[in-house]
Amino acid sequence: TYWQVRVSGGGAAAGGTSVMLGLGTEHSCFNSPGYFDLIGASASSWGLSTRGHVQHAGVTRPYCEPLFRDDNDNDNQQERCITVGCLFDGYRGRLGFFVNGQFRGFAFHDIPLRRQQPLYPMVASTTANSAFTLDLAYQTFPTLQELCSAALLSKDTHSAVVPKCFTAKINI
C-alpha cells in the first residue's frame, strides 16, 4: 500500500514544532498537552518527523536529513512544500518513506499485523498554518499465491488469513 502526501508550511523556522506522517492503530496517541511528536509516541504507531527522525513506542532515532530546508533568508513557498510517500509492505510488516520522489529505505520492520487492530495512514501537526494534501493513494489486492506466501512468511502460520472466497465446497 502506498500513499503520498504534500506537506506545506512546516519546518524548523516554524518554531520547532512537530509535523509527522506514518501509520498507526485506533489506539494511537491523538492529542497532547504540549508540542511533541505524536505519531510513534505509543507502541501502536510508527512515524517520520519532518526533522528527519523516525519514532516508535516513544523511541526516536535518526533516519534522514531534515525534510524542510532551514533557510530563514529564503521565503520561497516552494521551499516550504515537500512530498512524502509512505510505502507499507503488509506482508512483511515494513514501512518505508519517499521524500520528493527519492526512496529513503524501510524505517520500520516487523510491524505486527493483527486483524482485530487495523492500521491507518496518519498525519499530525502542531505547526501553525501547516497543510496536508493527499496526492495519491494506491493499494493492490493480494492474489492467492501472495496470500500463501504471506502465510509461509508469517511467524504464526495458524493465524494466516485466507479469504472465504477461496473456500470451496464440493458435492459429489
Side-chain angles (χ1 to χ4, degrees):
T1 303
Y2 178 82
W3 63 98
Q4 183 173 293
V5 177
R6 194 170 352 118
V7 182
S8 58
T17 55
S18 173
V19 177
M20 295 193 78
L21 294 97
L23 185 70
T25 71
E26 64 183 316
H27 303 291
S28 300
C29 180
F30 292 111
N31 55 42
S32 73
Y35 300 108
F36 71 90
D37 295 335
L38 289 175
I39 302 175
S42 68
S44 58
S45 61
W46 299 259
L48 168 66
S49 168
T50 55
R51 291 188 197 118
H53 62 260
V54 291
Q55 178 173 265
H56 170 63
V59 177
T60 300
R61 61 183 167 80
Y63 174 69
C64 64
E65 69 279 353
L67 308 188
F68 287 106
R69 283 184 47 192
D70 187 17
D71 186 356
N72 294 330
D73 297 331
N74 186 356
D75 289 332
N76 184 354
Q77 269 308 102
Q78 199 149 5
E79 296 295 329
R80 310 299 308 155
C81 183
I82 56 164
T83 301
V84 178
C86 303
L87 177 63
F88 177 60
D89 175 357
Y91 297 115
R92 293 185 179 93
R94 301 185 301 177
L95 178 63
F97 299 97
F98 288 78
V99 178
N100 291 330
Q102 293 184 345
F103 186 57
R104 303 296 183 183
F106 285 100
F108 300 103
H109 302 269
D110 299 322
I111 295 174
L113 306 172
R114 299 181 189 108
R115 281 187 110 183
Q116 60 275 23
Q117 285 191 332
L119 297 166
Y120 302 97
M122 297 184 164
V123 296
S125 177
T126 59
T127 302
N129 300 318
S130 60
F132 297 91
T133 305
L134 180 63
D135 284 338
L136 178 67
Y138 178 76
Q139 179 176 2
T140 59
F141 295 95
T143 64
L144 179 58
Q145 180 181 2
E146 291 168 331
L147 288 170
C148 292
S149 295
L152 292 172
L153 290 171
S154 75
K155 294 176 184 160
D156 180 13
T157 57
H158 298 292
S159 65
V161 178
V162 178
K164 291 181 182 179
C165 63
F166 293 118
T167 305
K169 183 176 180 182
I170 301 172
N171 293 324
I172 301 179

